[in-house]
Amino acid sequence: MAHPLSRIIDQLKREPSRTGSIVITVFGDAIVPRGGSVWLGTLLEFFESLDIDSGVVRTAMSRLAADGWLTREKVGRNSFYRLADKGSQTFEAATRHIYDPPPSDWTGRFELLLIGNGEDRDASRDALRNAGFGSPLPGVWVAPSGVPVPDEAAGAIRLEVSAEDDSGRRLLSASWPLERTADAYLKFMKTFEPLRAAIARGTDLSEADAFTARILLIHHYRRVVLRDPLLPDSLLPADWPGRAARELCGEIYRALLAASEQWLDGHGTNEEGALPPARKLLERRFEV
């Protein structure tokens, strides 16, 4: 295994267990484009490369199914998983946020959502954050105008406010922890720059290592970018690291894509046999 990838895996082992989160990354990045269903054995083989015990993976899958993210189908003694409807809706928004170019049509206005009921606030919190909304006050959510409002917040009171005056700038500052997000981007780049350098030097990665590196790349990147509202450049500091982080992620992703897909060709299985080929959308990910 290439040394930079070994260091990334070692770093992962030092963190609190994130097996369920990595499962979500595998589905969103690799399984959904190939039909959406996968045999548990395929997942266990991947997690073996991370030295994560099969019992830990099975527990994570059961919890994700119990929480409504995945559905399980038994065929004989084999278990197959796919995203539940709840998971599919959230994944569509997250996929656009991770892979699509940042929006460039800034209107100078913000969408303001007011959610009064405490129960409704709890139900919509994660969906709003994943959609790019920030919160300056309990029950108040903000995003650049035009950002789609998730279904979980469909009952919110919706207003538009200007961001051109001092009050709007203060609203921006209070709604998103931009310094924390910038630090997370810098940490991401520090972690994966050695892998980019190794690939540029021509370091060979096996198909299995390429798939592992691809999943860990997106796992780390999505943890940052899904907390980033992807604000227009005019509202961000000149040295904002999100731009460089996206470029690095895209460069590594494209370099790993062919070999990682070949691993899935040979090892990915669903109820009908080998996973179907990925849709063309993979080639359009991280386009400028």
Side-chain angles (χ1 to χ4, degrees), residues 154-280:
I157 298 172
R158 300 176 60 172
L159 304 169
E160 270 200 339
V161 297
S162 171
E164 302 301 329
D165 56 17
D166 184 59
S167 295
R169 299 290 173 174
R170 288 166 57 197
L171 178 65
L172 169 68
S173 171
S175 299
W176 291 282
L178 292 183
E179 289 186 4
R180 193 189 318 160
T181 302
D183 288 344
Y185 274 132
L186 293 172
K187 180 180 178 182
F188 166 79
M189 288 190 288
K190 182 178 180 181
T191 298
F192 283 91
E193 178 58 45
L195 179 60
R196 174 166 68 173
I199 292 172
R201 291 194 303 268
T203 300
D204 278 338
L205 287 173
S206 68
E207 293 174 0
D209 283 353
F211 185 74
T212 299
R214 168 183 161 186
I215 295 302
L216 294 184
L217 175 77
I218 297 302
H219 171 67
H220 282 75
Y221 182 67
R222 79 174 181 89
R223 284 161 54 186
V224 186
V225 77
L226 289 182
R227 297 301 188 215
D228 182 352
L230 302 181
L231 296 170
D233 284 348
S234 60
L235 299 179
L236 292 169
D239 59 350
W240 179 246
R243 307 179 190 96
R246 186 179 191 277
E247 290 175 5
L248 180 142
C249 188
E251 181 180 334
I252 297 174
Y253 191 85
R254 287 188 292 271
L256 298 171
L257 190 58
S260 64
E261 285 295 296
Q262 287 168 8
W263 184 86
L264 276 175
D265 288 341
H267 298 262
T269 304
N270 64 16
E271 300 93 329
E272 300 178 0
L275 294 179
R279 301 196 301 270
K280 285 290 186 181

Side-chain angles (χ1 to χ4, degrees), residues 96-134:
R96 292 191 298 269
H97 202 92
I98 295 168
Y99 304 105
D100 288 359
S104 58
D105 52 345
W106 170 235
T107 64
R109 301 183 69 79
F110 280 109
E111 184 96 33
L112 193 68
L113 304 183
L114 306 179
I115 305 177
N117 183 281
E119 185 175 331
D120 290 342
R121 291 182 194 177
D122 293 340
S124 60
R125 182 184 296 115
D126 287 344
L128 284 164
R129 284 178 177 163
N130 289 337
F133 282 80

Side-chain angles (χ1 to χ4, degrees), residues 5-39:
L5 180 56
S6 298
R7 288 198 298 177
I8 293 168
I9 293 174
D10 288 342
Q11 177 179 318
L12 183 75
K13 291 177 182 177
R14 293 193 296 269
E15 298 178 354
S17 176
R18 296 185 181 274
T19 303
S21 180
I22 298 174
V23 169
I24 293 295
T25 301
V26 172
F27 269 88
D29 184 71
I31 303 305
V32 169
R34 284 175 168 260
S37 177
V38 69
W39 175 44

